[in-house]
Amino acid sequence: AQSVTQPDIHITVSEGASLELRCNYSYGATPYLFWYVQSPGQGLQLLLKYFSGDTLVQGIKGFEAEFKRSQSSFNLRKPSVHWSDAAEYFCAVGPYNFNKFYFGSGTKLNVKP
Amino acid sequence: GAVVSQHPSWVICKSGTSVKIECRSLDFQATTMFWYRQFPKQSLMLMATSNEGSKATYEQGVEKDKFLINHASLTLSTLTVTSAHPEDSSFYICSARVAGDTGELFFGEGSRLTVL
């Protein structure tokens, strides 16, 4: 069965600290992996995506993610969190034609001053 | 990036009434749009895939007579919740895929429906 698991519902980090949001997936075909961010009352914005090639992908706003096939993981990282990063983050997996995305349940990030 | 706009952002209606939510791609043509439903503290669940000029494809468990989807043009898809009930209260989000693009979905800001 296709699924995406984000084990952390809430995470709180101090501003300037590093961040890692976990994402594990189960997918029967070659996965195309995505991280989206959702601010309150807003739609989802794409942070980064992985299709193939280098397993470490860079995204916007200083985020990066590493695809580890052996662990079926696609964790999101940021070396130094800013207060404006407080939002909800969703990991997603989809097929090559992007017709059906499976989303994780999201991780809500709080940033302490 | 491309912009997708949803309207209304929030709506409150009485039980038994119908509500229409619009999803527009403002600066690109979208041959395919997707409708998602997001329950509190849960993930987005795909409800249906909407292709311009053809019938929508509904996911298993989604009532097509309840959630009417129309994709009449390359820039507009509508979701009508018919005879709404309190259990239909939710956050509905649409997304659109740029024709010929390879991978990015652009999401609307969502529409929060509350059925009294």
Side-chain angles (χ1 to χ4, degrees), chain B residues 28-64:
Chain B
F28 67 99
Q29 293 186 331
T31 53
T32 304
M33 290 185 174
F34 305 88
W35 285 96
Y36 290 84
R37 183 174 179 176
Q38 186 179 24
F39 292 98
K41 301 182 181 180
Q42 294 190 33
S43 183
L44 287 77
M45 300 296 294
L46 180 65
M47 298 174 65
T49 301
S50 166
N51 292 296
E52 186 265 338
S54 63
K55 291 183 178 180
T57 302
Y58 290 82
E59 294 301 302
Q60 191 172 9
V62 177
E63 299 175 60
K64 58 183 67 176

Side-chain angles (χ1 to χ4, degrees), chain B residues 84-111:
Chain B
H85 288 95
E87 58 265 30
D88 299 325
S89 299
S90 192
F91 194 57
Y92 295 87
I93 302 179
C94 73
S95 68
R97 189 175 66 203
V98 178
D101 194 25
T102 55
E104 186 164 359
L105 292 182
F106 295 94
F107 286 81
E109 59 271 62
S111 300

